[in-house]
């Protein structure tokens, strides 16, 4: 099966739960508020979404990717990284293929602004590539698009 067909194909793994494979270079999580989803849609690049509900198929990356995640939890930073993101990263392949993190947050959270991205990046030993507030601005969209182009170009040059 070609890698591009993997994203649309749902299969059952040995544990008999649904799995969806993706070869997208951008994977993101968005809560029911859809803020992160709207930001990612503005980028107009291929992406895959980490499931919001446990009944949805588990998402497994098949190629290197950048993760876009929001921060939750307010001032104290507890539960800044949501369970869905933690579950996604419990998969060893998803952790191994992670290349960088982009974080969204709310500056009203003060020192915990974009804390989820910082925690995931530190734990997985990858860089925080960019942070933006809530749904991001048109300038954020432009910077992220340019930044991702540069990031993947540099990554491909290092392999050759």
């Amino acid at each position: 099966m070609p890698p591009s067909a993997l994203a649309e194909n749902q299969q059952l793994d040995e544990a008999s739960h649904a799995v969806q494979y993706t070869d997208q270079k951008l994977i993101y999580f968005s809560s029911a508020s859809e803020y992160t989803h709207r930001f990612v849609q503005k980028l107009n690049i291929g992406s895959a979404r980490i499931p919001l509900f446990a009944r949805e198929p588990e998402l497994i990356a098949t190629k290197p990717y950048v993760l876009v995640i929001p921060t939750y939890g307010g001032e104290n930073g507890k539960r800044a990284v949501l369970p869905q993101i933690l579950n996604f990263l419990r998969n060893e392949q998803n952790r191994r293929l992670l290349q960088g993190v982009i974080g969204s947050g709310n500056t009203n959270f003060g020192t915990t602004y974009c804390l989820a991205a910082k925690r995931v990046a530190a734990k997985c030993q990858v860089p925080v590539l960019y942070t933006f507030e809530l749904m991001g601005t048109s300038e954020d969209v432009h910077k992220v698009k340019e930044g991702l182009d540069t990031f993947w170009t540099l990554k491909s040059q290092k392999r050759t």
Side-chain angles (χ1 to χ4, degrees):
M1 174 180 307
S4 60
L6 293 175
E8 276 80 52
N9 189 23
Q10 291 182 6
Q11 300 176 352
L12 294 178
D13 70 2
E14 295 86 31
S16 297
H17 69 278
V19 175
Q20 182 175 1
Y21 295 92
T22 183
D23 61 358
Q24 297 296 332
K25 289 183 175 183
L26 191 68
I27 295 178
Y28 70 98
F29 177 77
S30 186
S31 69
S33 73
E34 298 281 312
Y35 285 178
T36 308
H37 175 74
R38 284 182 243 167
F39 180 81
V40 169
Q41 295 304 107
K42 291 180 214 173
L43 295 173
N44 200 27
I45 59 177
S47 62
R49 184 175 182 167
I50 295 170
L52 182 57
F53 302 106
R55 68 179 178 267
E56 296 176 275
E58 176 185 6
L59 186 65
I60 298 178
T62 60
K63 292 194 174 179
Y65 69 94
V66 168
L67 183 62
V68 181
I69 56 173
T71 293
Y72 290 89
E75 277 299 324
N76 63 14
K78 290 182 182 175
R79 300 184 64 204
V81 183
L82 291 176
Q84 295 92 329
I85 299 164
L86 294 173
N87 289 338
F88 173 76
L89 292 171
R90 279 191 186 106
N91 179 289
E92 189 278 329
Q93 181 168 308
N94 289 343
R95 283 192 316 277
R96 181 174 37 83
L97 293 172
L98 177 61
Q99 304 296 300
V101 184
I102 296 171
S104 72
N106 186 328
T107 55
N108 289 338
F109 290 171
T111 59
T112 62
Y113 171 70
C114 292
L115 183 61
K118 295 169 191 172
R119 284 184 175 167
V120 167
K123 182 79 172 171
C124 296
Q125 300 178 349
V126 297
V128 173
L129 301 173
Y130 193 80
T131 60
F132 62 93
E133 186 168 17
L134 300 173
M135 289 184 285
T137 64
S138 56
E139 182 179 352
D140 291 324
V141 171
H142 177 74
K143 286 180 177 181
V144 168
K145 283 177 89 162
E146 274 190 352
L148 286 172
D149 285 344
T150 302
F151 180 77
W152 290 117
T153 299
L154 292 173
K155 284 279 187 190
S156 68
Q157 290 171 351
K158 286 182 181 179
R159 287 186 220 153
T160 56

